[in-house]
Amino acid sequence: FPEAVEKLARENGITLKHSGTEDKDRERYYEINKEAARFFYKSFTEAKNAGYTYMKKRGIEDAVLKKFGIGYADDEWDSLYRYFKEKGVEEKILLELGLISESKGKYYDKFRNRVIFPIINTAGRVIGFGGRAIGDAQPKYLNSPENKVFQKKNNLYALNICKQDIGRQNSAILVEGYMDVISLYQAGVRNAIASLGTALTENQARLIKRYTKNVILSYDADQAGRKAAMRGIDVLSGQDCKVKVLHVTDGKDPDEFINACSDEGAARFRRLIEQSGNDVEYRLAKLKSGYDLSNESVRIQYLMAAVELLAGLENAIERDVYVSRLSQELNVDKNAILQQMSVSVRKKARAAQRQQQRDMTEQLSARRDTVNPEKR
């Protein structure tokens, strides 16, 4: 809300008066982050450097680099620190924003010899940075710490740039990394955003829902990516979003896929989007991959697990569609599956009723304790 008010004020030429100390601190932090972004951008654009060379090798065009405000943190130990020291900025603030670090009473730049990705909120304020190591330095990606103006759970990378395209296309593609977003954008797929390296949160899902209810998850195909996809499905479905899961072929991430496909990358990626399955299909496929269906007893175990999954669907028509598929796939009578599902649905309903009764009992007990604390 405060960011929305600030944005409206700027657009309409209104000067806001900040009454609280915290509001003034936030404004100060925004200004310092903005100045740091300019410093990194200047290092990236005004002289030959490893960051620019790296991004050009990745095939990113100058116009796109400028659009995303890509910067470079040089390999010196304290160039950014000295820059802000000359401006009189206190070390305490720089430490809190994660722009510098401290060891044995000495200060040094947190980001060194890294490509810098400014993280900008939907109000256009620089709230943090991601730094990609050039070479073999670890960690490969280094991000700003949580602070007064930067909370990962409340923001999404590149939403400030792609929100209009998301609205126009009425869909958002959720990817894992900065480079996935940038490569897709350059290829013409301009409704992609990233979740800042963390598991998708409810706040992020609500943020996406402001622009669209249609979300396509395009995570890596490894175990971590599959786990993130399952988490994303749950969180987005909880916000009443329609979720699809896109499988990038050959285990590539979107960045690798786009670059490997040369000029046809965008068209082929859009075809993958069209072929993407919904969240139920993804869950069933993941479940199925854990069973050896050549074994009769294991097939029954899979069927029972699939029935449990489908019993959780609220839409009766949707349940019927997938029951028909299961019946054909496993050559099992549809009525038998429906009968087992009815048993499962009743069990779930009874379990939910018991939980509701327990919750009510706990609430009543808590109220009695509040009214008569001496009787506890």
Side-chain angles (χ1 to χ4, degrees):
F1 178 76
E3 291 168 358
V5 173
E6 291 169 3
K7 182 174 185 291
L8 286 171
R10 286 197 306 274
E11 289 176 351
N12 293 279
I14 298 170
T15 302
L16 287 179
K17 291 184 178 180
H18 297 279
S19 56
T21 302
E22 184 154 343
D23 284 342
K24 292 178 181 177
D25 285 348
R26 285 167 60 89
E27 195 64 29
R28 175 77 167 140
Y29 286 16
Y30 285 138
E31 288 301 319
I32 292 170
N33 274 339
K34 183 178 180 180
E35 195 65 34
R38 285 173 172 166
F39 178 90
F40 292 135
Y41 183 74
K42 185 176 180 180
S43 298
F44 186 79
T45 57
E46 293 192 358
K48 184 178 179 180
N49 62 85
Y52 181 79
T53 301
Y54 172 82
M55 293 300 282
K56 295 304 287 185
K57 283 183 179 178
R58 296 288 295 263
I60 309 301
E61 299 168 1
D62 288 345
V64 176
L65 294 170
K66 183 178 181 180
K67 182 73 176 180
F68 285 85
I70 304 301
Y72 172 63
D74 62 41
D75 57 2
E76 294 185 26
W77 278 87
D78 61 353
S79 58
L80 183 66
Y81 171 61
R82 284 187 281 106
Y83 175 79
F84 277 117
K85 189 69 175 173
E86 290 175 3
K87 290 180 172 290
V89 179
E90 311 94 283
E91 284 89 353
K92 179 184 176 182
I93 296 178
L94 297 175
L95 285 166
E96 189 172 346
L97 290 173
L99 294 170
I100 65 170
S101 298
E102 183 268 336
S103 178
K104 298 178 181 178
K106 293 185 177 181
Y107 300 101
Y108 56 93
D109 294 352
K110 186 181 184 78
F111 298 102
R112 300 187 306 279
N113 198 29
R114 290 176 179 270
V115 173
I116 299 295
F117 302 86
I119 300 166
I120 302 171
N121 65 18
T122 53
R125 313 300 289 270
V126 181
I127 57 174
F129 301 92
R132 203 279 184 198
I134 298 170
D136 299 324
Q138 294 295 325
K140 183 178 178 181
Y141 279 95
L142 187 63
N143 296 310
S144 296
E146 301 266 316
N147 56 65
K148 291 178 182 177
V149 298
F150 181 48
Q151 294 85 37
K152 293 178 184 178
K153 67 180 182 180
N154 296 332
N155 294 280
L156 292 153
Y157 180 69
L159 185 58
N160 63 305
I161 292 173
C162 300
K163 60 187 179 182
Q164 291 183 340
D165 284 283
I166 289 171
R168 279 194 290 266
Q169 298 182 45
N170 193 23
S171 68
I173 303 169
L174 193 59
V175 297
E176 289 192 50
Y178 306 125
M179 288 302 301
D180 293 326
V181 172
I182 292 171
S183 291
L184 286 170
Y185 186 91
Q186 178 168 286
V189 181
R190 298 189 169 178
N191 59 331
I193 50 180
S195 55
L196 298 174
T198 58
L200 189 71
T201 68
E202 291 181 4
N203 286 1
Q204 289 172 327
R206 281 192 284 268
L207 185 57
I208 295 170
K209 191 180 172 183
R210 293 179 191 176
Y211 303 94
T212 182
K213 294 177 71 173
N214 301 306
V215 185
I216 301 149
L217 296 176
S218 182
Y219 289 156
D220 292 352
D222 57 16
Q223 186 174 357
R226 289 194 296 269
K227 185 177 180 181
M230 292 297 291
R231 162 71 179 168
I233 289 170
D234 288 338
V235 172
L236 289 162
S237 297
Q239 294 300 318
D240 197 29
C241 290
K242 296 179 180 179
V243 188
K244 289 187 174 184
V245 182
L246 183 152
H247 288 285
V248 178
T249 54
D250 301 325
K252 295 183 175 71
D253 58 32
D255 173 42
E256 292 174 331
F257 180 85
I258 288 291
N259 289 316
C261 295
S262 187
D263 295 337
E264 298 180 358
R268 291 184 62 183
F269 192 83
R270 288 194 179 94
R271 284 198 290 273
L272 289 180
I273 293 173
E274 292 170 1
Q275 296 164 9
S276 59
N278 64 32
D279 58 320
V280 180
E281 292 169 341
Y282 181 80
R283 288 174 186 268
L284 284 171
K286 187 175 184 300
L287 182 66
K288 185 178 178 181
S289 66
Y291 292 88
D292 177 11
L293 298 187
S294 63
N295 184 303
E296 195 69 30
S297 62
V298 175
R299 286 176 66 209
I300 294 172
Q301 291 173 20
Y302 163 65
L303 180 59
M304 295 296 287
V307 165
E308 284 294 312
L309 190 157
L310 296 179
L313 298 178
E314 295 182 3
N315 189 310
I317 296 175
E318 192 176 24
R319 282 203 304 264
D320 188 71
V321 168
Y322 288 106
V323 166
S324 297
R325 288 190 189 180
L326 268 180
S327 173
Q328 295 173 6
E329 178 187 5
L330 299 179
N331 195 26
V332 175
D333 183 65
K334 180 180 177 179
N335 290 326
I337 299 175
L338 287 171
Q339 186 176 356
Q340 182 59 41
M341 182 170 291
S342 296
V343 173
S344 182
V345 169
R346 287 196 296 271
K347 284 183 179 178
K348 287 179 182 292
R350 287 196 295 269
Q353 188 176 24
R354 287 194 296 269
Q355 183 61 50
Q356 187 178 27
Q357 290 172 345
R358 284 194 293 268
D359 292 343
M360 290 178 64
T361 301
E362 290 174 2
Q363 289 172 9
L364 288 171
S365 177
R367 287 174 187 170
R368 285 196 298 269
D369 289 345
T370 302
V371 175
N372 301 302
E374 71 279 358
K375 293 185 179 180
R376 279 187 291 178

